């Protein structure tokens, strides 16, 4: 189960990074729009984690808690990587 959650988290992470590249090329440097996908995925992860406390739902061999943890991982890593890249572009 750990391997499945890690794989799903990495897939979400790659999709978010590609989306951040597209958004960063399309937006101006003074806006925080490039952080919005990471915040949305992090929020989805929290919602899935809270739902998994009350219900036992399994999607693609992984419970909602695993999906939530994968989304939290992907959102946090994407936010950190985006802030590092964003600070390098502004300096």
């Amino acid at each position: 189960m750990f391997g499945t959650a890690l794989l799903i988290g990495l897939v979400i992470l790659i999709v978010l990074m590609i989306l951040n590249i597209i958004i960063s090329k399309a937006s101006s440097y003074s806006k925080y729009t490039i952080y919005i996908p990471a915040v949305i995925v992090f929020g989805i992860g929290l919602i899935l984690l809270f739902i998994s406390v009350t219900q036992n739902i399994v999607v693609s061999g992984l419970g909602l808690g695993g999906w939530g943890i994968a989304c939290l991982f992907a959102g946090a890593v994407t936010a950190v990587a985006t802030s590092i890249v964003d600070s390098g572009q502004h300096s």
Side-chain angles (χ1 to χ4, degrees):
M1 220 188 248
F2 174 75
T4 307
L6 187 63
L7 180 66
I8 290 170
L10 289 175
V11 169
I12 295 171
L13 176 67
I14 291 169
V15 169
L16 280 175
M17 293 303 249
I18 292 171
L19 185 64
N20 275 345
I21 290 170
I22 294 169
I23 291 174
S24 68
K25 297 295 181 189
S27 67
S28 65
Y29 290 116
S30 64
K31 296 188 179 184
Y32 296 106
T33 55
I34 57 175
Y35 296 103
I36 292 175
V39 171
I40 290 173
V41 170
F42 194 84
I44 290 171
L46 286 176
I47 291 169
L48 289 175
L49 202 59
F50 288 141
I51 291 173
S52 72
V53 172
T54 59
Q55 299 177 358
N56 189 13
I57 300 172
V58 177
V59 178
S60 298
L62 189 62
L64 287 185
W67 279 92
I69 291 171
C71 288
L72 290 173
F73 165 75
V77 172
T78 302
V80 169
T82 302
S83 66
I84 291 171
V85 170
D86 191 35
S87 68
Q89 289 178 350
H90 289 304
S91 59

